Amino acid sequence: MLEITDAKQEALKNESKGIFSSLSENNHEQVLFCHDPETGLKAIIAIHNTVLGPALGGTRMWNYKSEEEALRDVLRLSRGMSYKASISGLNLGGGKAVIIGDSKKDKTEAMFRKFGRFIKNLNGKYITAEDVGTTTRDMTYVRMETTHVTGLPQSMGGGGDPSPVTAYGVFLGMKASVKERFGSDSLSGKRILVQGVGNVGEALVKLLKNENAKVFISDINETQIMKVSDEFGAEVVNLNEIYDFDMDIYAPCALGATLNSDTIPRLKCAIVAGSANNQLEDENIHGQMIMDRGILYAPDFLINAGGLINAYSEYQGYNHARAMQDTEKIYQYTIDIFKKSAREGVTTASAAKKIAEQRISTIANVKSTF
Ligand code: NAD
């Protein structure tokens, strides 16, 4: 028989108290820990809110330093998905999953199929998709076990890589920002620095070049930066010059938290508009700091929603034209957020969050009767 000492019991009590207080901090509904020693699967699925509909959000595979770090990440990301879906007018809740492991070494068909079984058991409350460290191929394995998956290849009726749709939304959010700041939404002649020219960044560079913007790029991947620079004639900026570079628009399309106490005082731009998730290191402190510097910040979860809109379309029966049409709404939503921010004297990030929360609580009330 397994003996549990008093000390161990106390430790377990504290651990579980810690997890539940993390859940109550941002009102998460449910968290599922998925463990399968045979395949090495260690995953966490976080469902933040399902008032608007099933929780849709990708699966991130990452070599987390600790299980606590993985839990923190999935809780933060799933909450962001609730806001993204809500502000985009989608009937989707917010959820996300993380798999702990090295995406280059640890992936197997069996692991993703097992993961699919766990998703299946949630009976449609959570729908997955690809994210950092996972691909459409991984999703085809998940699909073998459950229908609650998007991000499938077009050959399987899916929407394929969502990045071009995300880039289109960011492009429109950028145009709305330019309209707000300069009175016209033309990007022609604007100096725009795209940080990270991966899937989204490269597609964005193409759209910007078509509008005759002056595009500058930066990336840690030498091969990728040379490819994009050659193809689109974009000028390369050194990694350590980004935050001091003279530009009209800074477009973070690589990492989160690049807007922080070190970078914001240095930025020489009028607008920040990019695809990266969680650009503000601290939503409140840095949202306010960027506003005080007179820089217009287009909230990331609003303008990078194209990928989610694409996944939603896939869930309903994929239609690329409809996904692009729905993504076009980002332009007006962004203008509306700027107006609200100016009217109420709050940061653009908090104006966007308020609208997202308001829609969730209004619809919760609608659904309160049979
Ligand atoms: P990606 O991995 O294809 O591209 C990221 C690029 O950033 C890579 O080329 C990488 O080399 C580069 N990079 C990494 N660290 C860097 C650094 N310190 N400085 C400069 N460049 C660096 O990813 P992606 O799919 O293009 O997504 C980009 C961002 O947008 C991510 O933050 C992602 O979470 C977010 N996002 C993507 C989608 C989508 O549809 N793909 C949707 C919403 C949000």
Side-chain angles (χ1 to χ4, degrees):
M1 203 174 87
L2 188 70
E3 212 178 278
I4 300 182
T5 61
D6 283 355
K8 201 163 184 184
Q9 242 169 8
E10 190 54 33
L12 282 171
K13 223 165 67 188
N14 284 339
E15 233 169 70
S16 72
K17 198 165 70 187
I19 289 176
F20 277 102
S21 68
S22 301
L23 301 196
S24 68
E25 227 169 78
N26 289 299
N27 271 327
H28 281 79
E29 281 178 21
Q30 188 179 356
V31 174
L32 180 69
F33 290 82
C34 316
H35 180 227
D36 181 56
E38 287 290 313
T39 58
L41 176 73
K42 277 189 196 169
I44 313 174
I45 300 173
I47 296 173
H48 176 251
N49 188 290
T50 55
V51 165
L52 298 175
L56 198 157
T59 298
R60 178 165 292 193
M61 185 162 182
W62 195 255
N63 228 345
Y64 290 100
K65 286 193 209 91
S66 65
E67 289 162 13
E68 289 73 20
E69 188 189 40
L71 179 64
R72 261 199 311 277
D73 204 31
V74 77
L75 292 180
R76 190 179 53 94
L77 290 165
S78 56
R79 172 171 164 257
M81 293 308 292
S82 293
Y83 291 146
K84 196 182 294 202
S86 175
I87 202 155
S88 308
L90 305 177
N91 287 323
L92 287 177
K96 200 90 182 178
V98 295
I99 295 179
I100 302 173
D102 185 336
S103 65
K104 293 200 173 68
K105 291 197 308 224
D106 301 338
K107 279 183 186 177
T108 59
E109 172 189 347
M111 174 187 275
F112 278 90
R113 291 185 67 163
K114 195 73 193 184
F115 181 55
R117 305 289 295 184
F118 281 103
I119 295 172
K120 182 185 165 94
N121 287 338
L122 287 167
N123 289 316
K125 193 171 180 187
Y126 170 67
I127 305 160
T128 199
E130 74 264 52
D131 194 69
V132 177
T134 59
T135 61
T136 49
R137 185 189 169 85
D138 303 326
M139 294 308 122
T140 62
Y141 293 136
V142 174
R143 178 65 184 85
M144 290 175 189
E145 304 300 330
T146 177
T147 54
H148 303 301
V149 52
T150 61
L152 294 167
Q154 283 176 342
S155 58
M156 288 178 73
D161 177 13
S163 307
V165 187
T166 302
Y168 185 50
V170 171
F171 170 74
L172 294 170
M174 209 179 254
K175 280 176 83 66
S177 308
V178 169
K179 167 97 176 147
E180 176 73 12
R181 185 43 52 98
F182 301 109
S184 147
D185 70 10
S186 167
L187 295 171
S188 175
K190 294 280 179 289
R191 291 168 62 87
I192 305 172
L193 173 78
V194 181
Q195 178 188 33
V197 283
N199 292 320
V200 179
E202 180 175 350
L204 179 63
V205 168
K206 186 174 178 191
L207 292 167
L208 297 176
K209 272 289 176 180
N210 285 343
E211 280 252 326
N212 293 319
K214 288 190 181 136
V215 184
F216 301 87
I217 56 175
S218 189
D219 199 295
I220 50 169
N221 182 331
E222 282 291 320
T223 319
Q224 183 65 7
I225 197 118
M226 290 327 292
K227 176 184 164 249
V228 177
S229 163
D230 286 350
E231 194 170 343
F232 302 104
E235 211 176 293
V236 178
V237 172
N238 281 335
L239 290 170
N240 53 8
E241 287 172 22
I242 297 173
Y243 305 112
D244 306 293
F245 191 72
D246 191 8
M247 55 195 159
D248 295 303
I249 305 171
Y250 164 49
C253 296
L255 324 154
T258 62
L259 301 175
N260 54 50
S261 303
D262 169 43
T263 59
I264 294 172
R266 290 157 62 192
L267 283 177
K268 293 193 191 79
C269 63
I271 291 163
V272 176
S275 74
N277 283 312
N278 303 312
Q279 291 166 27
L280 297 165
E281 188 177 82
D282 181 298
E283 224 168 77
N284 299 322
I285 299 173
H286 301 116
Q288 188 61 47
M289 197 183 263
I290 204 159
M291 186 176 172
D292 292 345
R293 281 233 35 222
I295 297 171
L296 187 63
Y297 168 65
D300 46 18
F301 66 85
L302 168 66
I303 71 167
N304 75 10
L308 181 65
I309 294 169
N310 201 56
Y312 185 56
S313 167
E314 192 173 328
Y315 184 61
Q316 296 178 311
Y318 190 61
N319 180 323
H320 183 70
R322 192 178 58 207
M324 293 299 269
Q325 235 172 38
D326 287 346
T327 300
E328 270 160 23
K329 293 178 188 158
I330 288 177
Y331 181 92
Q332 190 54 46
Y333 291 157
T334 310
I335 299 268
D336 293 346
I337 293 299
F338 292 151
K339 299 279 173 256
K340 185 177 171 69
S341 152
R343 214 172 37 242
E344 297 178 9
V346 296
T347 67
T348 53
S350 109
K353 223 174 93 180
K354 273 190 183 179
I355 290 190
E357 283 169 347
Q358 181 64 50
R359 179 164 177 253
I360 294 172
S361 74
T362 306
I363 302 302
N365 183 46
V366 168
K367 291 184 175 183
S368 66
T369 46
F370 184 69

